[in-house]
Amino acid sequence: PPRRDWDHRRPPAKRGERRVTVPPRPDVAGRMAAIGFDGWLREDGSRYWTEDACFELSDDEVEVLETAAFAAEAMVTAAVERAIADPAALLRLGLPEALVPVAQESWLRGDPSLYGRFDFAWDGDGPPKLLEYNADTPTALYEAAVVQWQWLTDRTQDGDQFNSLHEKLIAAWAALGGALPPESALHFAAILDDIDDLTTTAYLQECAAQAGLATRLLGLGEIGLKAGRLVDQQDAPITHLFKLYPWEWLAEEDPAFFAAISRHSVGVMEPAWRVAAASKGLLVDVWRANPGHPNLLATAWEDEGLGGDVVAKPILGREGNNVEQRFAGGVRTAGSFADQPRVLQARAAMPPFDGLTPVFGVWMVAGEPCGLGIREDRSPITGYGAAFIPHRIV
């Protein structure tokens, strides 16, 4: 997608005007098949992809989201640097004991990050409020980079989006490719029967291939061990690996595999220090260091308490599992993270649009904001049932 010049073509819309009804394309299924996006329909027949409506944003509003993401990146990076110096802080953030030195070494080596996603609550009028940072295993990338761009260009050749993801990912892979040994492949490991995992991993592999890198895709369970080293199905050594499987799970499930993947001889994307960035516990320190920042919500550890209407979240939870709204009419979700420590986060201003509550996910590549993905849910807590809805700049 072309970068736009900031021409500020219209003043910001009123909140109720931002989500607009639009006619869907006549052959949605065919258009999805053309780009290989099987995940637009769920197994139960419900639609993950929405296109009978879209969000319309002005350039000014996109700039608001970009500015919020730049600020969040700076505050999170500073907080990670503080945490890395203190093993006890990393343990409290949820890192298993075996992962702590690996994360510290990863940070001190300067292991680079490829991408991540800041999720913001935003009513379109006030400043976006940071809900969390998906820094270790972010998905919904293909939808943001490719699927909604196809939707836009099918409708008009003159449209625009907050979306330069594809070009930025290719450029980032090209810059990272210099670390690959000669004649070595960059391996991409996915859980092949998980549609979100496979779609994201295969898309990033394609971006790396377009950057000129040699790549190989394999199932996570197909990675082998030979003389304590990671190898692929052909017994070729794995020197650089992209994976979406959470670091904290790897550290606790298979000691031999974890020992092999955490050695300096294996460059892993995302690097181990990103678990600290992804922990919602880090938002406590971010708030303490930046109290009252317009893009932050007051956040505290559960055992410390926080006044007012709050939401309790497990520090390394996913898909909105085990989140609890602690105010009148509050919602509580089930899940497998109930035994984790939790933080309390102040209630965000997230009024629904047409009965659906959106979350604005700003994508970062190599530390810079370059894309927007919006998901919306009938529940005020964004979970597995949330749908992706495209946007356009008007």
Side-chain angles (χ1 to χ4, degrees):
R3 290 296 296 170
R4 61 191 172 280
D5 50 0
W6 299 95
D7 58 3
H8 312 298
R9 284 168 286 180
R10 69 168 178 82
K14 297 178 181 178
R15 191 188 71 83
E17 297 173 351
R18 289 187 175 90
R19 189 184 192 276
V20 299
T21 300
V22 294
R25 290 170 292 177
D27 181 20
V28 177
R31 298 303 293 144
M32 293 301 175
I35 54 174
F37 187 50
D38 298 330
W40 75 285
L41 283 177
R42 297 190 178 95
E43 291 183 359
D44 62 5
S46 62
R47 292 194 175 195
Y48 166 62
W49 168 262
T50 298
E51 65 171 72
D52 56 1
C54 71
F55 272 84
E56 291 187 342
L57 304 174
S58 70
D59 280 327
D60 286 334
E61 290 164 336
V62 169
E63 201 163 13
V64 166
L65 290 166
E66 278 193 316
T67 300
F70 270 122
E73 177 77 10
M75 291 185 287
V76 166
T77 299
V80 170
E81 187 169 17
R82 290 189 293 270
I84 286 293
D86 183 0
L90 293 176
L91 289 172
R92 189 163 199 197
L93 291 179
L95 279 69
E97 187 173 356
L99 184 57
V100 168
V102 178
Q104 290 176 309
E105 293 164 7
S106 172
W107 174 267
L108 294 174
R109 281 196 305 268
D111 289 353
S113 165
L114 175 69
Y115 78 127
R117 190 188 75 234
F118 285 110
D119 283 348
F120 290 100
W122 189 48
D123 63 6
D125 294 323
K129 300 290 187 179
L130 179 61
L131 296 172
E132 62 181 75
Y133 187 21
N134 296 272
D136 182 29
T137 60
T139 57
L141 177 65
Y142 189 61
E143 300 91 292
V146 175
V147 182
Q148 67 172 341
W149 183 251
Q150 181 209 53
W151 167 85
L152 181 71
T153 56
D154 278 353
R155 298 181 62 86
T156 174
Q157 294 301 309
D158 299 324
D160 203 0
Q161 281 177 348
F162 179 11
N163 185 5
S164 58
L165 273 163
H166 191 70
E167 292 80 1
K168 295 296 175 57
L169 286 166
I170 293 171
W173 278 127
L176 294 169
L180 284 174
E183 300 181 1
S184 178
L186 174 60
H187 287 78
F188 288 78
I191 301 175
L192 300 179
D193 60 357
D194 184 305
I195 188 67
D196 292 335
D197 193 316
L198 180 58
T199 299
T200 301
T201 304
Y203 173 57
L204 285 169
Q205 181 194 16
E206 173 63 22
C207 290
Q210 290 188 33
L213 306 184
T215 67
R216 293 181 187 172
L217 178 67
L218 72 167
L220 189 68
E222 295 175 321
I223 298 176
L225 288 175
K226 188 174 183 179
R229 298 288 302 272
L230 298 182
V231 295
D232 64 16
Q233 310 99 311
Q234 287 78 42
D235 279 347
I238 295 175
T239 61
H240 289 76
L241 176 70
F242 174 86
K243 56 86 197 163
L244 279 174
Y245 203 73
W247 269 105
E248 69 272 17
W249 296 2
L250 291 173
E252 295 179 323
E253 292 177 353
D254 188 331
F257 186 91
F258 177 70
I261 197 175
S262 59
R263 289 180 180 175
H264 180 34
S265 57
V266 180
V268 183
M269 191 68 65
E270 290 291 312
W273 64 263
R274 297 287 282 178
V275 182
S279 173
K280 297 171 187 65
L282 192 77
L283 297 177
V284 177
D285 180 61
V286 170
W287 174 254
R288 288 173 178 170
N290 307 275
H293 191 283
N295 296 125
L296 298 178
L297 295 164
T299 310
W301 291 101
E302 186 174 33
D303 57 8
E304 297 171 345
L306 186 67
D309 292 347
V310 298
V311 178
K313 300 179 176 181
I315 56 175
L316 291 174
R318 288 175 168 80
E319 296 281 0
N321 289 347
N322 302 107
V323 174
E324 179 184 356
Q325 291 186 333
R326 295 184 178 175
F327 45 85
V331 176
R332 177 185 297 178
T333 61
S336 56
F337 305 102
D339 59 344
Q340 287 190 5
R342 295 193 287 187
V343 297
L344 302 179
Q345 191 177 67
R347 181 182 185 180
M350 294 176 65
F353 293 72
D354 300 330
L356 297 161
T357 302
V359 167
F360 292 79
V362 178
W363 286 96
M364 311 292 289
V365 174
E368 294 191 358
C370 57
L372 173 65
I374 306 171
R375 291 166 299 144
E376 55 185 13
D377 204 321
R378 295 204 173 276
S379 168
I381 298 172
T382 307
Y384 180 76
F388 192 100
I389 180 172
H391 76 278
R392 61 188 179 190
I393 296 174
V394 296

